[in-house]
Amino acid sequence: MANSKEKTFRKLKRQYTWVSIVVFVISFLLLIAVVNAAVIFFTLYTIDSKIDDEYKIVEHMANIYEESLDVAKEDYREILQKAGTRYLVKDGSGNIIATQGRNTCSDVGGHTGFLFGKRPYVVYEDTEDNHLVYGSNGWVSLNLNLLGWTENEITVDAEEHPNPSTDEDKVLASGYVEMPIWIGTELSNGDTFIAMGHIRIRLSVIVILAIIMICLNAFLLVYMIVRIIRIVKGLRRRKQLTELFLVDEVTKGNNWMAFLLKGEQILKKRKNADKRYAVLHIVIVKYRNYCMCHSLEEGQRLLYAISQTIDQNMTPKEELSAHVSSSSFALLMEADSDDSVRQRFDQLLQGLSRTDTHDEQPLMAGHTEKGHTFRFQAGVQIIEPHIIDGKPQKRRIPELERYYNNAVAAKATLEETDDSGIAFFDNRLLEDERWVDLVEECQQKALDNEEYVVYYQPKYSPDEGKLVGAEALIRWQSPDFGFVPPGKFIPIFEKNGFITAIDHYMICHVAADQKKWLDAGMKCVPVSVNVSRAHFAEIDLADQIRNMVDEVGTPHELIEIELTESAFFDDKEALIWTIEHLKKYGFSVSMDDFGSGYSSLNSLKDMNLDVLKLDAEFFRGEADTERKEAVVSEAIRLAKRLNMRIVAEGVEEKEQVEFLDSQGCDMIQGYYFAKPMPKDEFVERMIEVYHMPEES
Ligand code: C2E
Ligand code: MG
Ligand code: MG
């Protein structure tokens, strides 16, 4: 099978998996995480830069503090005011001894780590609002121990310092959020100076950031959900498409495409390299008749039941079956030997004979309740392992389609019978197919180049042994293939329709020969020309023949038209019409190969024919001469009664001639007198008999 088909199949299989959804979800969640991390990073980065700013302030305060060490104790407020901030002063025991602004500190401090911060800070909880820390401009905590002061030494006059709470409210009202943090900085004497810094962030910025985060996440989530829904729908649709692509509508099993795809996969497996396989083409004989007698639905139920039975006879995963077309199935099965394939086919037939349709109707290989008999014919192509140096090689490109076509060709050899049977493909069939191709390629060129040659087989009277007529028989003198007898190409032309061109060609050439001989002063005998049944579909056939002969100018009575017996099964009305017109125009009409297979007695009743040609089969073989003679003599009597002349074909023995003579047979065409011969030889024979001057 074409690589592209296999690729499509692989692709379909790959896409036909839920893993793709999982992969999508994971990658999308990762994307969401990355986006969120980016926003958080940005936020923390901003906070961190603000902390840096605060740190600088604290550093500044620490400088002031260091300066204050040399200042008189009473001036501490001055120092603190110099810091330009609110403050909180604690004594050595941690008691607050002085504040500037409202103190909401819990006094429960603790170290905390800040993700992107530079160092740990002491953080106090806010007791009033449960915020982590509360404040506007920053509380400063000065450890009095550090300052070297004691409680007694300090007098606090809080009244001197206005409560800044109104400022804080203002700040909050104006849309900021403040986050106090304790910041410590190292002094030159190794001590730590701790002060409360504040990170102020606009409320609107936080709100915008929050909205962005919420929207972004919501958008990504909605997008992800929508995508997942679409993927699931897509997968479902793809699954349905795959089914359409690979599942047979009637049997719900494999179709032709699935057979090729899966079959080639089985054949390609390394572990199957040493196995011998058989590809079978199984056909239900006269399935169409069954459908016409019953109904299409019943026909389809039959196919379903057959498919089920076949599947039961196959090894799952290792073997394969498929419904290919209305009446045919394809099978790929392991085959140890030809006999094992035959056995499996017989088993299958037995299985089929027990198969039921959906209800009580029994089927197959025998009579059903409705009296229908089913027969199955199979063509087989064996696939041998490919061995190199004693080792079986992996089948890289198994041409399953070609193998199946070979199986079809093998089955075609059974077509002459309607019985169940099995036929194996061999290379002769392949040669036949090649020959058909070659012939079809050359047929027109051969006609144009006049490679088809007319041979004449004389007809003799049995009593005197006198030449009284002849049959024109075609031969192909091919520059490529040499001398080709009609049996090798006429059936091909009959199938492909080229036979009508051949029939025209022969009539024209025979008429032309006759005319030439007449013009040369010879006495001519009537010559019969074979006209194929395919030709009788043309309603103006009689006129066509008359025109062709008239164009040359040959008298009509010198031309006889032979119709094969099987032609009498086609459109009877058309046939009668053509025969009547041919006769009206003065041509003789004969029935060729009478008794060769189909009973055409009925046709004799309806059609006013001139000549009956007894088939050569009557004169072949040894068996029961007496019975044969009885049939022949009755056929002659019948022809006589119908005012027909009788020609016996294929007569090779003297005794046969004598017998036919005794029965009143009019003419004999057979090897006993002469084989088909080239034109010149035939002319010589005519001259011998009629003592006419030689053709000029
Ligand atoms: P047919 O029309 O029945 O021709 C008689 C065949 O029997 C000829 O075979 C002839 O050679 C053969 N025959 C005659 N007497 C004897 C005999 O005593 N012994 C044996 N063994 N054979 C004998 P041929 O020429 O091979 O033709 C075979 C068939 O091909 C013809 O059967 C006819 O159906 C077809 N055919 C031949 N030429 C033409 C043609 O020009 N047009 C058409 N449509 N079919 C033709
Ligand atoms: Mg004939
Ligand atoms: Mg014949």
Side-chain angles (χ1 to χ4, degrees):
M1 187 184 44
N3 258 355
S4 63
K5 278 187 203 160
E6 199 173 331
K7 274 186 195 150
T8 316
F9 179 60
R10 288 234 172 95
K11 216 167 143 193
L12 273 170
K13 272 187 87 179
R14 235 195 343 261
Q15 289 173 341
Y16 177 30
T17 156
W18 293 95
V19 174
S20 54
I21 296 188
V22 176
V23 169
F24 174 77
V25 170
I26 290 174
S27 40
F28 215 83
L29 288 176
L30 274 175
L31 178 71
I32 291 177
V34 167
V35 168
N36 280 298
V39 175
I40 290 169
F41 179 81
F42 169 75
T43 311
L44 293 180
Y45 179 79
T46 311
I47 291 172
D48 197 41
S49 66
K50 281 184 184 287
I51 289 172
D52 270 358
D53 293 346
E54 288 299 301
Y55 186 76
K56 276 175 197 143
I57 295 170
V58 173
E59 258 187 338
H60 170 66
M61 285 168 63
N63 286 338
I64 294 169
Y65 165 71
E66 282 203 300
E67 277 172 27
S68 73
L69 293 177
D70 303 328
V71 175
K73 289 169 189 169
E74 292 75 18
D75 297 332
Y76 73 92
R77 282 189 187 149
E78 219 175 281
I79 300 159
L80 292 170
Q81 273 164 3
K82 220 174 159 185
T85 184
R86 289 172 215 166
Y87 60 84
L88 160 73
V89 182
K90 291 182 179 180
D91 64 10
S93 333
N95 299 321
I96 298 169
I97 52 170
T99 63
Q100 177 167 303
R102 188 154 55 91
N103 175 17
T104 60
C105 199
S106 66
D107 274 351
V108 183
H111 289 273
T112 183
F114 231 85
L115 189 53
F116 291 95
K118 288 175 179 134
R119 63 197 73 188
Y121 304 104
V122 178
V123 177
Y124 289 78
E125 271 181 39
D126 160 40
T127 51
E128 282 187 358
D129 296 332
N130 258 351
H131 291 144
L132 192 62
V133 188
Y134 179 82
S136 58
N137 257 341
W139 293 96
V140 180
S141 166
L142 293 177
N143 190 317
L144 291 185
N145 283 341
L146 285 177
L147 288 171
W149 295 332
T150 63
E151 192 179 354
N152 302 336
E153 288 171 312
I154 295 171
T155 44
V156 179
D157 184 2
E159 292 308 309
E160 283 176 32
H161 305 282
N163 193 326
S165 62
T166 38
D167 290 349
E168 286 163 16
D169 291 344
K170 248 190 244 163
V171 170
L172 283 176
S174 64
Y176 282 91
V177 170
E178 281 198 348
M179 195 167 76
I181 51 168
W182 289 99
I183 299 171
T185 178
E186 211 175 327
L187 298 171
S188 47
N189 64 2
D191 291 335
T192 304
F193 178 88
I194 301 168
M196 182 181 279
H198 286 80
I199 294 169
R200 295 171 66 205
I201 303 171
R202 269 183 188 279
L203 198 59
S204 56
V205 172
I206 292 175
V207 170
I208 289 171
L209 265 177
I211 290 173
I212 289 176
M213 286 285 277
I214 290 167
C215 289
L216 203 68
N217 281 310
F219 171 77
L220 288 175
L221 269 173
V222 169
Y223 180 76
M224 187 174 82
I225 290 165
V226 170
R227 285 285 304 169
I228 287 174
I229 291 172
R230 286 175 104 187
I231 290 176
V232 171
K233 276 188 180 167
L235 284 179
R236 274 214 205 115
R237 217 172 305 133
R238 223 166 274 140
K239 195 180 167 198
Q240 284 164 355
L241 270 176
T242 314
E243 280 181 3
L244 269 183
F245 194 57
L246 300 175
V247 174
D248 181 70
E249 236 178 273
V250 179
T251 62
K252 308 293 172 220
N254 293 320
N255 64 9
W256 169 242
M257 193 54 71
F259 182 73
L260 288 184
L261 291 165
K262 295 179 187 173
E264 289 190 357
Q265 281 180 354
I266 291 175
L267 291 174
K268 272 183 187 171
K269 280 185 194 162
R270 185 168 290 284
K271 71 176 173 86
N272 293 340
D274 59 341
K275 287 185 188 159
R276 203 169 175 264
Y277 281 93
V279 177
L280 276 80
H281 162 68
I282 297 186
V283 174
I284 313 163
V285 178
K286 301 221 163 130
Y287 168 73
R288 257 186 76 211
N289 289 8
Y290 178 79
C291 291
M292 274 156 67
C293 290
H294 300 89
S295 67
L296 190 64
E297 286 71 40
E298 221 162 296
Q300 291 187 340
R301 273 205 296 276
L302 167 77
L303 293 174
Y304 180 79
I306 291 174
S307 157
Q308 298 288 309
T309 308
I310 291 176
D311 279 350
Q312 283 159 18
N313 281 269
M314 310 294 279
T315 314
K317 296 205 171 139
E318 296 301 317
E319 297 183 332
L320 191 65
S321 77
H323 178 224
V324 174
S325 67
S326 66
S327 64
S328 57
F329 289 82
L331 275 66
L332 176 69
M333 56 165 65
E334 287 179 25
D336 297 336
S337 64
D338 291 5
D339 280 345
S340 74
V341 177
R342 276 200 186 88
Q343 273 172 19
R344 296 259 325 249
F345 181 63
D346 288 343
Q347 271 171 18
L348 194 61
L349 288 185
Q350 280 171 22
L352 290 170
S353 68
R354 290 191 297 271
T355 304
D356 284 357
T357 47
H358 70 300
D359 45 32
E360 72 285 348
Q361 294 170 31
L363 291 173
M364 319 301 144
H367 289 273
T368 66
E369 274 177 6
K370 294 190 175 183
H372 202 99
T373 308
F374 288 97
R375 303 273 179 249
F376 295 87
Q377 292 181 340
V380 185
Q381 158 77 69
I382 298 291
I383 308 171
E384 301 283 356
H386 182 44
I387 311 272
I388 295 180
D389 295 336
K391 278 190 193 155
Q393 305 294 309
K394 183 174 179 288
R395 297 180 180 95
R396 290 192 190 284
I397 312 164
E399 297 168 272
L400 193 51
E401 194 165 358
R402 185 169 65 81
Y403 298 141
Y404 183 75
N405 286 341
N406 290 347
V408 172
K411 189 258 149 198
T413 60
L414 301 170
E415 267 163 20
E416 277 172 15
T417 147
D418 286 344
D419 292 338
S420 290
I422 187 165
F424 287 74
F425 180 84
D426 69 34
N427 285 333
R428 245 192 7 257
L429 288 171
L430 207 61
E431 278 163 27
D432 289 351
E433 273 183 12
R434 263 195 223 119
W435 170 248
V436 171
D437 283 349
L438 282 173
V439 169
E440 292 189 336
E441 233 170 68
C442 305
Q443 59 190 32
Q444 186 60 49
K445 193 186 81 199
L447 192 83
D448 298 341
N449 296 344
E450 304 235 329
E451 290 170 22
Y452 302 115
V453 183
V454 184
Y455 268 48
Y456 291 89
Q457 185 176 27
K459 294 172 191 165
Y460 285 85
S461 63
D463 48 353
E464 296 173 68
K466 188 179 170 188
L467 193 153
V468 286
E471 177 175 8
L473 295 159
I474 195 169
R475 301 291 181 263
W476 183 5
Q477 201 73 59
S478 163
D480 304 316
F481 317 120
F483 182 85
V484 189
K488 297 260 302 176
F489 60 92
I490 289 289
I492 299 172
F493 294 167
E494 275 173 344
K495 266 196 191 152
N496 68 20
F498 192 65
I499 193 71
T500 54
I502 290 292
D503 288 349
H504 281 194
Y505 179 93
M506 289 296 282
I507 292 168
C508 289
H509 277 72
V510 168
D513 282 349
Q514 301 259 56
K515 179 74 171 97
K516 209 164 128 194
W517 297 330
L518 284 175
D519 290 349
M522 291 173 65
K523 183 178 181 334
C524 288
V525 290
V527 175
S528 59
V529 184
N530 293 283
V531 174
S532 153
R533 58 189 292 186
H535 227 134
F536 280 83
E538 296 170 19
I539 196 74
D540 62 339
L541 177 65
D543 290 346
Q544 285 181 32
I545 292 174
R546 184 193 56 181
N547 295 343
M548 278 185 280
V549 176
D550 286 352
E551 211 168 286
V552 184
T554 311
H556 294 183
E557 65 272 13
L558 289 181
I559 303 286
E560 184 182 309
I561 301 298
E562 285 193 18
L563 308 175
T564 51
E565 198 185 27
S566 56
F568 293 83
F569 279 84
D570 293 334
D571 185 352
K572 201 169 162 188
E573 297 301 313
L575 196 61
I576 292 174
W577 198 92
T578 304
I579 291 170
E580 273 174 10
H581 279 74
L582 283 171
K583 284 174 67 78
K584 198 172 91 186
Y585 298 149
F587 298 104
S588 302
V589 185
S590 58
M591 183 190 278
D592 200 359
D593 303 335
F594 178 75
S596 62
Y598 303 89
S599 164
S600 50
L601 279 174
N602 212 21
S603 313
L604 286 182
K605 171 178 73 83
D606 298 322
M607 291 167 207
N608 189 12
L609 298 158
D610 300 292
V611 182
L612 192 71
K613 293 189 78 178
L614 287 180
D615 191 61
E617 208 45 53
F618 287 115
F619 310 101
R620 272 191 204 131
E622 301 295 312
D624 216 341
T625 321
E626 214 174 288
R627 287 179 77 87
K628 268 197 253 173
E629 285 182 354
V631 175
V632 169
S633 65
E634 285 311 311
I636 293 172
R637 264 161 52 92
L638 176 69
K640 294 274 168 205
R641 285 195 64 183
L642 294 171
N643 288 325
M644 295 170 82
R645 275 166 287 137
I646 274 269
V647 178
E649 280 188 294
V651 177
E652 296 183 356
E653 314 285 337
K654 192 171 175 231
E655 297 74 39
Q656 291 169 338
V657 177
E658 286 167 358
F659 168 74
L660 287 164
D661 184 24
S662 69
Q663 298 302 308
C665 178
D666 299 297
M667 283 169 270
I668 286 177
Q669 178 187 342
Y671 290 178
Y672 177 74
F673 286 111
K675 289 188 173 180
M677 55 189 69
K679 184 167 72 179
D680 294 344
E681 248 180 72
F682 175 63
V683 169
E684 277 170 25
R685 290 246 179 170
M686 281 207 295
I687 292 166
E688 264 174 37
V689 178
Y690 294 103
H691 311 293
M692 297 297 286
E694 237 180 81
E695 195 183 355
S696 59

